[in-house]
Amino acid sequence: MDIEKKNVLFAQREQLLDELIQFNNRERNRICSLVGEWGSGKSFFIDKFIERVKQEDIIETSEEQSDPIKKQSFDILKFDAWENQASTNINGIFLEFVYNELIKTSKDEKSFYEFLQKYGIKYFKDIIKSAGEALLPLPKEVSKQIIKPIDEFNSMALYKMLSNTILNEIIDEKKFYEIMIDLLFFEEQNNKFLLIIDELDRCEPKFSIELIKKIIYLNKELIKKGKDVNFLISINKVEFANLLKGYYGNEYDTHQYFDKVFDYEFDLPVAKSAFEYVGELLSTPKNGQILEFELKEKLNLETIEKFKNLNYRKLNLLIEIIQRPKKLVNEYYGDSFNPDYYYDLIRFTLEVVKMSNYTEYLEIINAIRRLKSRKIYSINLNRGILTITDEIEDTEKFFNDIITFSKYFKYQEMGVVHNGNLEELEINKLKELLSVEVLSLMSGYPI
């Protein structure tokens, strides 16, 4: 999608943007959720929200009024849980994320571990002995070295080599929250944050649930210290409920969980129907009603329902696949068939089935391949005629294979020429299964 069309789509969610800005200006220490299905555009919405907040911050600071009206008063940190779930230790990766976002550039791009060597003495001086024990079994000489004073220990090559392991072992929960709050409000350079957690419902259950626990306890510590941070967690509520049940058991009360964890729940509005969304983004844009009419004219209700239920991520993929140059229209459909669709209707159908149910898609592909391999028919696409050229050994399998994919298209009157092997009822049945699309798939259409 080009930028202009993205903005048109996103305009329908402007109201929620305003509500989120006002909410985070007004509320303190709230844990909220942004709820939407997978592929509904939650991550894209979050990126636009961050962009909007930054824009308003620039506008605000450029105003010449002596006392301008503040549109937003918070900074945003976005943590992508999916990208970071590979870490075996949430403490270390979460702390490093905050350091990199807020402090690293002001400290000559030093790594998080180098930063802790200078500023982290107060965290480690009382637990350096336990660090040596945590890293055992190590050679005795190395263990003794570890228990040396902190300044000597920090300068050791061993520290650099084992820094991540050390952090994983010696930053207990209490220290984690202490360091996290210090990093967020390092040198008191900021006074309010919105910490966004994205893609949490795609992570491993243990990682997701532990991360939410840390946010709950971190929020309690922030309240104790009078620090102002809101949290916004992006989730597919249905999938996250399944994740919770998979972790705690099927009897777990997920409704109670959501009520306890989240102070507020923001539902991501459904921006457009599938017809509107795809119609606008075709190479030759179409009104959503026109596209819906075209599809219903050619496809059956089952296919239409599969299409309507695709999320936006899958619709984006669909658009990329079905676009094709107009010169290819007759390559697989025949000269007499010249649809004014500007997209490949057969490819459209195959991809919709594939994205909805891959097993069904494989059944279609295998059925078409079996039909082509039998070499008992020929097709004249220009005249719309199927000619049976040889005896059909297994009529039932022949019909079942055609039904497997013809059921996704609407009947069109096509001609059938046979060799006398089919009865009148079978000929009529075959005619009821055929359409230009079905003949194209049985002929040379690439699958």
Side-chain angles (χ1 to χ4, degrees), residues 408-421:
Y408 296 102
F409 302 95
K410 278 195 172 178
Y411 156 78
Q412 294 168 276
E413 188 172 348
M414 298 285 121
V416 176
V417 178
H418 63 99
N419 58 2
N421 189 45

Side-chain angles (χ1 to χ4, degrees), residues 77-80 83-84 87-105 109-116 160 163-165 167-168 171 175-176 179-184 195 211 214:
L77 299 175
K78 177 188 171 185
F79 180 77
D80 191 317
E83 288 183 356
N84 290 287
S87 172
T88 57
N89 181 269
I90 299 177
N91 288 353
I93 199 69
F94 210 6
L95 291 173
E96 188 171 7
F97 155 74
V98 173
Y99 168 77
N100 289 340
E101 290 290 311
L102 296 179
I103 302 171
K104 187 174 182 179
T105 54
E109 298 296 323
K110 288 183 177 181
S111 72
F112 177 52
Y113 306 114
E114 290 174 316
F115 170 79
L116 283 183
K160 294 179 181 179
S163 54
N164 189 42
T165 306
L167 283 177
N168 289 352
I171 296 182
K175 291 294 178 185
F176 167 76
I179 300 172
M180 175 64 78
I181 294 172
D182 283 352
L183 291 179
L184 284 169
L195 180 52
L211 186 55
K214 289 189 183 297

Side-chain angles (χ1 to χ4, degrees), residues 120-121 123-135 143 145-151 153-154 159 166 170:
I121 294 176
Y123 306 126
F124 301 123
K125 64 182 180 182
D126 57 337
I127 52 174
I128 210 58
K129 184 176 180 180
S130 65
E133 296 169 354
L135 289 171
S143 299
Q145 294 266 350
I146 290 177
I147 306 174
K148 286 185 176 183
I150 187 72
D151 54 338
F153 174 59
N154 282 344
Y159 173 83
I166 292 169
I170 69 175

Side-chain angles (χ1 to χ4, degrees), residues 299-309 352-353 356 360 407-408:
L299 307 176
N300 72 0
L301 291 177
E302 182 179 350
T303 311
I304 295 296
E305 285 303 309
K306 287 180 184 294
F307 169 65
K308 286 164 61 176
N309 290 325
V352 166
V353 176
S356 300
E360 287 184 32
K407 66 182 181 180
Y408 296 102

Side-chain angles (χ1 to χ4, degrees), residues 110-271:
K110 288 183 177 181
S111 72
F112 177 52
Y113 306 114
E114 290 174 316
F115 170 79
L116 283 183
Q117 288 182 52
K118 183 174 182 180
Y119 293 91
I121 294 176
K122 67 174 181 175
Y123 306 126
F124 301 123
K125 64 182 180 182
D126 57 337
I127 52 174
I128 210 58
K129 184 176 180 180
S130 65
E133 296 169 354
L135 289 171
L136 293 175
L138 289 173
K140 252 184 184 179
E141 292 182 333
V142 176
S143 299
K144 290 178 181 178
Q145 294 266 350
I146 290 177
I147 306 174
K148 286 185 176 183
I150 187 72
D151 54 338
E152 292 181 34
F153 174 59
N154 282 344
S155 65
M156 291 172 54
L158 179 66
Y159 173 83
K160 294 179 181 179
M161 181 178 70
L162 297 174
S163 54
N164 189 42
T165 306
I166 292 169
L167 283 177
N168 289 352
E169 296 294 343
I170 69 175
I171 296 182
D172 60 15
E173 290 302 290
K174 183 178 179 181
K175 291 294 178 185
F176 167 76
Y177 301 119
E178 183 183 347
I179 300 172
M180 175 64 78
I181 294 172
D182 283 352
L183 291 179
L184 284 169
F185 299 94
F186 186 71
E187 297 178 351
E188 298 294 331
Q189 57 185 356
N190 299 294
N191 58 8
K192 187 170 186 177
F193 287 101
L194 170 62
L195 180 52
I196 299 175
I197 310 294
D198 194 19
E199 303 280 16
L200 189 67
D201 48 16
R202 293 181 180 275
C203 299
E204 292 293 326
K206 183 177 180 181
F207 182 89
S208 300
I209 293 166
E210 287 301 316
L211 186 55
I212 286 186
K213 283 182 182 178
K214 289 189 183 297
I215 289 170
I216 293 170
Y217 292 126
L218 174 59
N219 192 45
K220 290 179 180 179
E221 292 299 315
L222 286 162
I223 293 172
K224 288 179 185 178
K225 294 182 178 292
K227 301 296 185 181
D228 192 358
V229 178
N230 286 329
F231 299 88
L232 181 65
I233 301 175
S234 168
I235 60 170
N236 177 331
K237 198 171 180 180
V238 174
E239 293 301 327
F240 199 81
N242 291 335
L243 181 150
L244 288 168
K245 288 185 176 182
Y247 190 77
Y248 290 113
N250 288 329
E251 302 303 316
Y252 189 73
D253 189 342
T254 57
H255 294 290
Q256 188 178 41
Y257 178 90
F258 289 123
D259 287 342
K260 284 185 175 182
V261 171
F262 299 116
D263 298 308
Y264 291 90
E265 198 173 274
F266 295 98
D267 288 312
L268 188 66
V270 177

